Amino acid sequence: MNLPNSLTLLRIFFVPLLIAVLLTKSPNVDFLGFPMHFEFWGVLILLMAAATDWADGFFARRRLQVTTLGILLDPIADKLLISAAFVSLVDMHLVPAWMVVIIIGREFTVLGLRNIASAEGFTIAASLLGKTKMVLQVCAVAVLIAGARQAHHPLLNRLGLFLLWLVVISALVSAAQYFLRFWGQLDGRIKQRRKLRMMESHKKSEDAVPL
């Protein structure tokens, strides 16, 4: 257990905390005359969790502490956080369910493809669009939480919906990009294995020819 992995586990800890704040819509307190309603706490928790996502990667590379546990937990923590946030927003009637199905479905589809790629012995690096999608997701969720009380923040709600559309579009496009790159790599591996089997079969047939 090192600092990057501890930050990843902290991000997982933030998930139930975020759900509790959003679904109970509490706490709502005033601090020195400043109203700190559940929207404030929800955005704060989300941004703190997003900060750990950046920090664990930064420290893992800087300290040369990239571990198998970290590689496994990091994408799981990201998907748990985003999935929990969007499902909570659906329950709060702030986000259409079909959009969340596309966003979460994309995440777990790509996770499945990564597992297959790992089993085949190759990896596919995240594209720039895929990384941008993660930033858009955090921004969209933060804006939607901040504008949870629509009567008070109609502009934030419209901005959040616009960002949500960008998330859906980037999710679909980045998923298509990932699948095409995955299929290209997998197809090349399959063709290579077929060629090797044909060569081995040809060699065996030559060896079997009597002198």
Side-chain angles (χ1 to χ4, degrees):
M1 183 58 64
N2 51 38
L3 178 59
N5 290 345
S6 299
L7 290 171
T8 302
L9 291 175
L10 179 62
R11 186 156 73 257
I12 294 175
F13 168 78
F14 279 134
V15 172
L17 193 60
L18 180 63
I19 294 173
V21 168
L22 294 181
L23 297 188
T24 62
K25 296 185 178 180
S26 59
N28 298 286
V29 297
D30 288 333
F31 181 72
L32 299 178
F34 178 72
M36 301 170 66
H37 299 299
F38 76 95
E39 305 102 303
F40 171 83
W41 298 109
V43 172
L44 180 63
I45 293 169
L46 178 71
L47 294 182
M48 289 175 63
T52 64
D53 184 25
W54 170 83
D56 63 14
F58 173 79
F59 286 116
R61 291 186 295 270
R62 187 179 182 87
R63 298 186 174 192
L64 301 178
Q65 292 180 332
V66 178
T67 63
T68 303
L69 179 63
I71 293 171
L72 290 173
L73 283 182
D74 187 63
I76 294 175
D78 291 343
K79 287 165 179 53
L80 282 175
L81 177 67
I82 292 301
S83 299
F86 276 119
V87 170
S88 298
L89 291 176
V90 170
D91 188 78
M92 297 168 69
H93 306 289
L94 296 176
V95 175
W98 66 268
M99 284 185 164
V100 174
V101 170
I102 291 175
I103 294 168
I104 296 178
R106 182 266 179 199
E107 296 298 328
F108 286 96
T109 298
V110 170
L111 183 61
L113 292 178
R114 280 179 176 162
N115 289 337
I116 296 172
S118 178
E120 290 291 327
F122 65 91
T123 57
I124 301 176
S127 65
L128 179 60
L129 183 59
K131 295 178 180 178
T132 303
K133 175 191 62 64
M134 182 61 187
V135 176
L136 286 173
Q137 285 177 336
V138 173
C139 291
V141 172
V143 171
L144 287 168
I145 294 174
R149 293 182 296 172
Q150 299 180 24
H152 293 77
H153 308 289
L155 182 60
L156 284 177
N157 189 260
R158 288 195 292 270
L159 176 59
L161 189 59
F162 171 73
L163 290 172
L164 188 62
W165 273 103
L166 292 182
V167 170
V168 171
I169 293 170
S170 63
L172 292 172
V173 174
S174 63
Q177 286 180 340
Y178 194 94
F179 179 79
L180 290 174
R181 292 164 65 187
F182 166 82
W183 183 254
Q185 291 263 25
L186 184 63
D187 188 51
R189 292 292 180 113
I190 292 173
K191 288 179 180 178
Q192 186 178 16
R193 283 201 297 265
R194 285 177 179 173
K195 185 177 179 180
L196 287 174
R197 282 199 298 266
M198 290 178 64
M199 291 176 62
E200 289 175 358
S201 177
H202 182 68
K203 184 177 180 181
K204 288 180 180 178
S205 63
E206 287 183 344
D207 292 341
V209 175
L211 297 176

